[in-house]
């Protein structure tokens, strides 16, 4: 069970509402804008490595940056910042996973018992 904090600092979000007089239809924190701005050139660079061409309007790169930014910030809360979410995703990605096929442990069962009258 998660207790709701009564500290207003945790509930306060630094949100960019838009230019003065013109409110944007979505309210995103500054960190999301920053991550989006960093991801678009990263995806453009990956696209350049694959196709060796630069698009004048990088539509796929913008879409991928929007999806990945929203996915990261879906897991962000006041107790878990975006940096910790990204670090967790990278360390989970590098580690080995359980094998797809189930492996049985060797059984330690005597298949044949020999009884001798004298000790060796």
């Amino acid at each position: 069970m998660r207790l709701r904090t009564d500290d207003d600092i945790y509930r306060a979000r630094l949100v960019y509402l838009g230019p003065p007089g013109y409110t944007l239809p979505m309210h995103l924190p500054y960190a999301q804008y920053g991550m989006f701005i960093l991801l678009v050139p990263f995806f453009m660079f990956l696209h350049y490595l694959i196709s060796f061409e630069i698009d004048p309007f990088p539509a796929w790169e913008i879409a991928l940056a929007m999806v990945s930014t929203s996915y990261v910030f879906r897991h962000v809360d006041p107790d878990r910042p975006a940096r910790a979410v990204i670090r967790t995703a990278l360390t989970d990605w590098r580690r080995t996973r359980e094998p797809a096929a189930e492996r049985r442990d060797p059984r330690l069962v005597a298949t044949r018992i020999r009884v001798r009258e004298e000790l060796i």
Side-chain angles (χ1 to χ4, degrees):
M1 180 170 97
R2 297 181 81 182
L3 297 176
R4 186 174 170 164
T5 177
D6 57 353
D7 194 358
D8 289 335
I9 294 172
Y10 282 117
R11 282 188 263 146
R13 292 177 38 187
L14 296 173
V15 175
Y16 178 66
L17 300 176
Y22 301 100
T23 304
L24 293 175
M26 67 270 182
H27 301 269
L28 300 175
Y30 287 112
Q32 285 185 355
Y33 286 111
M35 185 173 188
F36 174 77
I37 289 171
L38 291 175
L39 284 177
V40 169
F42 174 72
F43 285 129
M44 288 176 69
F45 179 70
L46 287 179
H47 182 259
Y48 177 75
L49 287 178
I50 294 170
S51 66
F52 296 110
E53 63 183 34
I54 297 175
D55 292 333
F57 181 71
W60 284 107
E61 291 83 354
I62 290 173
L64 285 173
M66 289 172 66
V67 167
S68 55
T69 301
S70 66
Y71 182 74
V72 167
F73 277 88
R74 187 178 306 151
H75 301 286
V76 171
D77 58 9
D79 297 325
R80 188 180 337 160
R83 191 175 301 134
V85 171
I86 294 169
R87 186 180 331 120
T88 303
L90 290 176
T91 55
D92 286 350
W93 176 70
R94 285 185 286 185
R95 301 288 183 245
T96 58
R97 294 190 175 101
E98 292 293 325
E102 182 180 344
R103 289 187 358 209
R104 291 185 159 192
D105 292 332
R107 292 183 358 185
L108 301 175
V109 176
T111 57
R112 196 167 114 185
I113 299 174
R114 292 170 28 182
V115 179
R116 294 183 185 176
E117 293 188 20
E118 58 187 57
L119 295 174
I120 299 178

